[in-house]
């Protein structure tokens, strides 16, 4: 590349973009780790985006109607850190950049949403950002339809790399965006022909333009180093009635000895080569120094949106008070005041009626009372609407001609659904939940982990949660999936035993602000076990005594979900033989673990044998069966230690020994 | 549809295809569950494929040079069961079809590779079959390049539905196939416009033709009910120098009242509607009855390949004996005789040299001695070759002009890689291994589960296995991933402590026939802890005493991987204070659990406090810390109970307390 020509053609632009490149080189050198090439390659695109298009106010990074900027190629984190420092974001003084990738810094190796206001989403696992962006754009559409264009009218911009586009989730994302004509979504592809292993062509020769067109996108191809082309493309994209992908042909590590090579992807720390690159840029300032003129030009960019934001505030304040309150309440993730009473009334009614229901149907009943009073919920399913029971009559279907619709037909895209739900939650103002079969936790898993890491309350409705699914067989029967979600930090895994517990689980999920929830729900009908109404949310305790021993307590049966009624039956069998049995329902291990020791000991005292019952693997159960006691009693577990099989559900429970008779026998064997 | 016209135009074809439809209706009705619509819609395509194109011999379903037939839309399992019954596969007598979806039947809800020889792969989780097929086709190319066209020359045919094509993994698969011009891969898309939730357009409007063309495929569009068009398209596809997608426009549940509706996707069991459909077909035979003429026409099809197979056997026998032996040995998954001695010699050398190495580098060293003597290994990485250390000098790179290459640059496609590796293993003759960062187990997870379910020995090389990854931060630091893989039945999870254990783990992984392996390997350097050479493979025991207590045994430290050396250091600290400490290295919990109780008690006797040490979550550890003892001692665990952070690795181990000092203090606190 002829850098001189670039610099000469657009000197003001060049100096601003070069500031990003210089800061990137300096920070990576200081950390002796990181990814230099991407920020150096995309500096021109990002500069034009921030200078001329992105609606933001650096002093108010949380302004609700800001454009969203998503760095899907998260390894290029110095791009966003440099930008935020340059525009004057108070959370990014130069010290933060000097501390790049160090303990406690906001400038983590990959951008972390919980470390800074202006970081919209955590990226790094490739493809996640672009898939989140679909949810951001959907949330904007829903909010715009709800509150009007004067209050909600912003774009979602994404920088994505070759890695993002190779990941399968990107296909789920772009086909969703195309299907729904999410015209305010604009993806800037860093088309640099390089991956870590070498040229992109080593592993891929996809015609990305053709692929995006096939998905219903508008596509523009530009020179990613020409500010005029970048500006024109962004202007054109904002006018399109489709989502737009701008293919930006760039040079990774522009101007460095490693330019256009896979080495340029990583940490460029050689002092001499750094000096050469800076010289080639015409950059004479010292490490982490930005000439005052350039810094002030950037800070002007940071203030560009201030007036627009003030105007927005006026428009917002002009809205009726109730609308403003709902908007702010949803944004703050506060539940409506009515929720608690509604759940209580529902529970009372269910305890009295004591229906036999699959908990997926219980869940639908809960949603039927919740959705009408909680306008921020957005439901959906990955093509299993009738099976997941996620759709209630009032929601309306989100579509091109019904942007206020609150139900999304996600199609057969579990991963894209989960990632887009995360995007919705991150955008704010909506509270997403979505369903699939629990076994397909596997497909959604990368985004489920990120929900936990990002501290957002996405709700995953996972039905058909055991061999109780029956004939579809082991590919569809979860066995290890409760353990998988429980192994993940900051995740509530709820396995309710009946309609009442399902309502309690939903109440926690819908009031959670920082923790995602997994609702593990049955396909098969279950009796109501909570027939005595309690105002208190018992699931909140994680575990509680459902039926206590008559006579001397010799056995404690601990169960979750569909196995709670098995435990109650086993208790009957044992009590008939004069053996005192306590049944503990344990719908949420994480919440039980969070109780104080006194409560835990009250529920699970020593001096009795324990049997855990759950139609899943034992992993995670030993703590409750073997631990937490001074005096060790014997314990056993009735569950699964292999994959399931294809047969009617009742036969499978027999075959795998998950029956009241077997539980009773195993308990007796311990005495 | 005018069924009469179809029947009249091609009466012989019609009666054969109708047999599939009738059997499907009968079996689903008998089971009162299943998916009728897909087999009914794709019966014409399947009939032409089996009658005129598929190279197979029903009497010899394992003939190595058969064409592979993959039902990616696995819910339509009655299609393959009907076909196998009709062609006379001995494993599919009519009784099997009558037992559809019942306990113990081969005719499981979804096709299971381990239940019948002719079922090439387990499908059901959508997108997996089409992604497997890339591996099948690659294995064929590699074998053809190795053994010649006379011995290896077959196609891979796939039937895929809309669901398969919506799943992101299908994009990873088709772009791989396009990149590598896998011209012997032919996908038949059941283009029926219907998903479970309703018309495909509810959730998707992708131009699939444009999408496949953009991925480098040849595409043909046909009427999927016209046998001449089907035949012509298959003929054309077999001549293409690219992979071919045939878009077959079909009617789901053809001829049934539910035709062209989402109801048609499921179980069509209404007796009257069934009778109407059969009448419309002109089918008068009773349930599960096939008129003799039709059955014998199908059985002729089943014998069509017999002569070709015999001719192949002659050609095979004409190969040099050593080639034949290698071919058969690899197919039988037998390791070369040299492997054991090679590993032993390597271990001895490493015990003596005692290098400080990251176990990912140890793994490379092992591969350097294994790959040259084990021609069936095929390595690869999802764009992290230099980080996963999966490439050795001798392998050569698989490419269009180097089909004998044994290293695959998979690109940023962890899921596609895992699924394709499964396909390779299922094809047989090659033994695949592939690498990514352990955290991206999440992306590969659906296929990793299927490897376990399918009982195939795919090897997943998962490097950067803890916070030891350092600055890249929590998105890249696995915390729960050891637990996730351990929760999965039939999976070996190896976390070796040094180069010697890494060699032992590889030996087990490379001799496994029915169990996949996860190798959890460090980024950071580790000292050699196995300095005394042992011929025995100690990892095979799952856990063993690495250093025993001097004096009275008061403490047992149990650790895996990078924490074994931490345990040894902690032992030093405690022994200095006169506290006797045994260190148990536990590289594979599954293998330790498989030892007899006497061995387990010998390694983990009672009477001492126990501390587990692993830079991951506790889930899975309590069994070894709390269980398996009559007399309960105290126990503790030093590991992670949250996500990690971005900082240099050593600082992270300090921050999270995974240090010898902390382990020693925690152990003392228990005494």
């Amino acid at each position: 590349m002829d850098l001189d020509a670039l610099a000469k053609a657009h000197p003001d632009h060049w100096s601003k973009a070069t500031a990003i490149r210089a800061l990137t080189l300096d920070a990576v050198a200081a950390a002796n780790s990181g990814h230099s090439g991407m920020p150096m390659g995309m500096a021109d695109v990002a500069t034009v985006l921030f200078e001329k298009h992105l609606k933001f106010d650096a002093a108010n990074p949380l302004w609700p109607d800001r454009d969203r900027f998503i760095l899907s190629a998260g390894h290029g984190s110095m791009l966003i850190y440099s930008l935020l420092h340059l525009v004057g974001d108070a959370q990014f003084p130069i010290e933060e950049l000097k501390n790049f990738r160090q303990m406690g810094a906001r400038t983590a190796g990959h951008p972390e949403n919980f470390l800074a206001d202006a970081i919209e989403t955590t990226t790094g696992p490739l493809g996640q950002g672009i898939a989140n962006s679909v949810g951001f754009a959907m949330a904007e559409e829903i909010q715009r339809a709800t509150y009007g264009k004067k209050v909600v009218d912003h774009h979602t911009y994404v920088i994505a790399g070759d890695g993002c586009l190779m990941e399968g989730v990107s296909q789920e994302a772009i086909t969703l965006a195309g299907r729904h004509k999410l015209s305010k979504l604009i993806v800037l592809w860093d088309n640099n022909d390089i991956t870590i292993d070498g040229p992109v062509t080593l592993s891929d020769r996809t015609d990305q333009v053709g692929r995006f067109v096939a998905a219903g996108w508008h596509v523009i191809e530009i020179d990613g180093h020409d500010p005029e082309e970048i500006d024109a493309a962004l202007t054109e994209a904002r006018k399109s009635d489709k989502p737009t992908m701008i293919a930006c042909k760039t040079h990774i590590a522009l101007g460095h000895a490693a330019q256009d090579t896979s080495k340029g992807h990583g940490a460029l720390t050689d002092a001499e080569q750094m000096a050469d690159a800076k010289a080639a840029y015409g950059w004479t300032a010292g490490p982490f120094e930005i000439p005052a003129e350039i810094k002030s030009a950037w800070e002007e960019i940071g203030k560009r949106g201030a007036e627009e934001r003030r105007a927005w505030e006026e428009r917002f304040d002009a809205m009726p008070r109730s609308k403003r309150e709902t908007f702010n309440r949803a944004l703050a993730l506060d539940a409506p005041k009515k929720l608690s009473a509604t759940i209580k009334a529902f529970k009372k009614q269910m305890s009295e009626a004591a229906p036999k229901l699959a908990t997926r149907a219980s869940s639908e009943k809960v949603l039927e009372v919740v959705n009408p009073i909680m306008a921020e919920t957005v439901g959906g399913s990955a093509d299993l609407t009738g099976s997941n029971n996620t759709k209630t009559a009032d929601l309306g279907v989100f579509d091109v001609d019904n942007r206020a619709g609150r139900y999304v037909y996600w199609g057969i895209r579990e991963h894209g659904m989960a990632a887009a739900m995360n995007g919705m939650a991150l955008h704010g103002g909506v509270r997403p939940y979505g369903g699939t079969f629990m076994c397909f936790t596997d497909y959604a898993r990368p985004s489920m982990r990120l929900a936990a890491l990002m501290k957002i309350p996405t709700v995953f409705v996972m039905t058909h949660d055991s061999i109780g699914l029956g004939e579809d067989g082991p590919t569809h029967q979860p066995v290890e999936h409760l353990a998988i979600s429980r192994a993940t930090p900051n995740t509530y895994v709820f396995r309710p035993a009946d309609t009442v517990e399902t309502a309690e689980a939903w109440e926690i999920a819908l009031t959670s602000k920082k923790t995602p929830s997994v609702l593990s729900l049955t396909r098969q009908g279950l009796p109501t076990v909570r027939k005595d109404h309690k105002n208190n949310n018992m699931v909140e305790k994680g575990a509680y005594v459902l039926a206590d021993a008559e006579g001397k307590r010799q056995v404690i049966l601990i169960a979750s979900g569909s196995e709670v009624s098995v435990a109650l039956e086993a208790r009957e069998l044992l009590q008939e033989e004069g053996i005192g049995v306590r049944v503990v329902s344990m719908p949420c291990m994480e919440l039980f673990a969070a109780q104080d020791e006194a409560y835990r000991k009250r529920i699970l005292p020593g001096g009795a044998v324990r049997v855990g019952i759950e139609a899943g693997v034992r992993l995670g159960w030993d703590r409750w069966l073997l631990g937490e006691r001074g005096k060790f009693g014997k314990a056993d577990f009735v569950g699964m230690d292999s994959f399931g099989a294809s047969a009617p559900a009742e036969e499978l429970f027999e075959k795998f020994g998950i029956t009241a008779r077997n539980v009773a026998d195993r308990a007796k064997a311990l005495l």
Side-chain angles (χ1 to χ4, degrees), chain A:
Chain A
M1 290 295 291
D2 183 348
L3 300 192
D4 287 344
L6 287 177
K8 235 178 241 168
H10 304 281
D12 288 349
H13 166 83
W14 180 256
S15 60
K16 285 197 282 280
T18 299
I20 296 171
R21 295 187 175 103
L23 286 173
T24 297
L25 284 167
D26 293 340
V28 170
N32 198 27
S33 105
H35 300 83
S36 312
M38 187 283 206
M40 292 164 72
M42 284 297 277
D44 295 305
V45 170
T47 298
V48 175
L49 174 65
F50 272 62
E51 180 169 8
K52 304 216 166 138
H53 295 273
L54 193 77
K55 180 167 77 170
F56 77 110
D57 174 8
N60 289 276
L62 296 178
W63 170 24
D65 200 33
R66 70 193 179 277
D67 285 342
R68 267 53 169 189
F69 173 63
I70 295 172
L71 191 71
S72 191
H75 54 277
S77 56
M78 269 312 299
L79 181 67
I80 192 165
Y81 302 148
S82 300
L83 287 161
L84 292 173
H85 168 69
L86 289 166
V87 298
D89 186 306
Q91 292 184 323
F92 287 89
I94 196 71
E95 289 69 32
E96 281 291 344
L97 278 67
K98 289 181 180 171
N99 262 328
F100 182 49
R101 296 182 150 232
Q102 302 311 301
M103 188 75 77
R106 283 187 209 282
T107 48
H110 292 80
E112 304 286 2
N113 72 304
F114 51 87
L115 292 181
D117 293 340
I119 295 174
E120 304 283 357
T121 179
T122 289
T123 50
L126 293 173
Q128 294 297 322
I130 190 171
N132 291 159
S133 76
V134 173
F136 275 93
M138 282 181 168
E140 195 267 350
E141 294 283 358
I142 292 170
Q143 282 219 305
R144 184 149 36 87
T146 310
Y147 294 98
K149 208 176 137 110
K150 286 186 182 171
V151 175
V152 180
D153 188 16
H154 52 265
H155 284 82
T156 301
Y157 294 96
V158 181
I159 288 183
D162 294 298
C164 294
L165 300 196
M166 268 197 243
E167 291 287 359
V169 70
S170 68
Q171 180 69 10
E172 301 184 22
I174 71 170
T175 54
L176 276 166
R179 164 62 185 82
H180 287 290
K181 291 186 189 276
L182 301 175
S183 59
K184 304 189 83 173
L185 174 59
I186 297 169
V187 170
L188 300 146
W189 169 34
D190 181 15
N191 180 13
N192 63 27
D193 298 320
I194 290 295
T195 73
I196 293 176
D197 275 354
V200 168
T201 51
L202 265 187
S203 58
D204 193 51
R205 290 186 183 276
T206 305
D207 165 15
Q208 297 290 1
V209 172
R211 174 193 175 202
F212 274 78
V213 167
W217 286 56
H218 178 51
V219 178
I220 308 168
E221 294 181 84
I222 61 166
D223 172 353
H225 299 299
D226 181 331
E228 288 175 29
E229 282 194 32
I230 300 164
D231 184 29
L234 284 165
T235 301
E236 182 181 327
R238 289 167 61 181
K239 288 180 191 153
S240 173
D241 63 349
K242 299 174 181 175
T244 299
M245 190 273 264
I246 305 175
C248 310
K249 178 59 79 182
T250 61
H251 295 274
I252 196 168
L254 181 83
H256 189 278
Q259 180 187 310
D260 299 327
T261 70
S262 57
K263 193 179 172 299
H265 172 89
L268 303 177
T269 54
D270 180 274
E272 202 171 319
Q273 290 180 343
M274 272 176 65
D276 288 349
K278 288 186 180 177
Y281 299 150
W283 187 264
T284 53
F288 294 108
E289 280 177 29
I290 309 292
E293 205 179 276
I294 298 175
K295 183 70 167 76
S296 98
W298 266 113
E299 285 177 4
E300 282 309 307
I301 294 173
K303 291 172 191 155
R304 200 169 45 79
E307 198 175 333
E308 206 169 344
R309 184 187 57 75
R310 281 189 293 271
W312 176 87
E313 275 176 4
E314 279 172 28
R315 294 195 302 275
F316 184 83
D317 290 342
M319 271 206 306
R321 180 175 163 169
S322 72
K323 273 208 158 182
R324 269 182 288 142
E325 282 176 355
T326 306
F327 185 99
N328 284 329
R329 181 184 60 68
L331 203 61
L333 289 169
D334 291 328
K337 285 208 184 86
K338 273 190 232 172
L339 181 67
S340 170
T342 303
I343 294 281
K344 281 191 182 84
F346 175 83
K347 280 166 55 181
K348 188 154 187 288
Q349 196 190 344
M350 289 300 122
S351 289
E352 285 163 8
K356 182 174 177 175
L357 278 180
T359 46
R360 63 187 171 121
S362 306
S363 171
E364 183 177 353
K365 276 187 170 296
V366 177
L367 291 171
E368 275 165 1
V369 300
V370 163
N371 280 335
I373 63 162
M374 207 161 171
E376 63 268 37
T377 56
V378 176
S381 164
D383 200 44
L384 290 168
T385 295
S387 300
N388 300 146
N389 301 60
T390 36
K391 189 166 182 291
T392 60
D394 59 313
L395 289 182
V397 173
F398 179 80
D399 209 335
V400 177
D401 55 6
N402 187 29
R403 294 306 202 188
R406 286 163 56 201
Y407 192 80
V408 183
Y409 286 115
W410 291 108
I412 301 104
R413 302 184 182 95
E414 300 82 6
H415 194 178
M417 171 177 77
M421 287 201 295
N422 286 350
M424 285 183 177
L426 290 160
H427 177 280
V430 296
R431 203 181 253 280
Y433 69 85
T436 184
F437 285 162
M438 186 163 203
C439 216
F440 303 142
T441 294
D442 288 348
Y443 281 82
R445 169 74 205 152
S447 302
M448 292 175 73
R449 177 180 211 250
L450 280 166
L453 176 60
M454 291 195 287
K455 303 178 187 171
I456 53 174
T458 315
V459 181
F460 303 96
V461 181
M462 299 309 200
T463 73
H464 298 61
D465 72 345
S466 75
I467 51 169
L469 164 136
E471 292 90 342
D472 272 348
T475 52
H476 286 54
Q477 290 162 356
V479 165
E480 70 273 43
H481 300 84
L482 286 165
I484 286 173
S485 288
R486 286 174 183 149
T488 309
N490 191 38
T491 301
Y492 294 140
V493 183
F494 296 110
R495 193 160 186 261
D498 69 0
T499 309
V500 176
E501 281 195 1
T502 303
E504 293 177 338
W506 265 115
E507 185 177 21
I508 300 165
L510 291 171
T511 51
S512 169
K513 296 192 177 190
K514 295 200 165 180
T515 301
S517 297
V518 175
L519 292 173
S520 167
L521 305 172
T522 67
R523 176 195 185 197
Q524 74 274 23
L526 302 181
T528 295
V529 297
R530 284 275 296 280
K531 293 182 185 164
D532 297 325
H533 174 64
K534 283 202 173 77
N535 262 323
N536 285 350
N537 186 320
M538 299 305 291
V539 171
E540 214 162 53
K541 296 284 188 188
Y544 61 94
V545 178
L546 183 64
D548 215 344
E550 289 167 31
K552 180 172 181 285
R553 181 175 58 234
Q554 296 185 64
V555 175
I556 304 177
L557 301 178
I558 317 171
S560 82
S562 46
E563 283 65 69
V564 171
S565 50
V566 175
L568 289 172
E569 279 178 59
R571 176 176 172 278
E572 293 296 315
L573 296 174
L574 291 164
Q575 289 282 170
E576 275 168 27
E577 299 183 44
I579 300 169
V581 177
R582 165 178 286 192
V583 171
V584 170
S585 176
M586 188 179 270
C588 183
M589 289 187 181
E590 298 75 32
L591 286 170
F592 187 58
Q595 305 305 311
D596 61 29
E597 200 185 342
Y599 180 79
R600 292 200 310 261
K601 279 201 169 160
R602 204 155 70 238
I603 304 304
L604 297 179
V609 303
R610 298 180 186 178
V611 180
I613 319 162
E614 186 172 80
V617 296
R618 183 166 175 159
L619 222 80
W621 273 89
D622 281 320
R623 173 167 179 190
W624 315 116
L625 299 177
L626 305 176
E628 304 239 331
R629 280 179 297 171
K631 200 182 161 196
F632 183 65
K634 287 181 182 166
D636 202 352
F637 178 74
V638 173
M640 300 291 294
D641 62 1
S642 69
F643 293 110
S646 170
E650 316 78 61
E651 293 180 35
L652 290 169
F653 281 104
E654 278 292 335
K655 177 186 162 75
F656 291 104
I658 306 174
T659 63
R661 187 67 264 163
N662 189 40
V663 170
D665 291 347
R666 298 269 283 269
K668 276 163 67 182
L670 297 175
L671 292 172

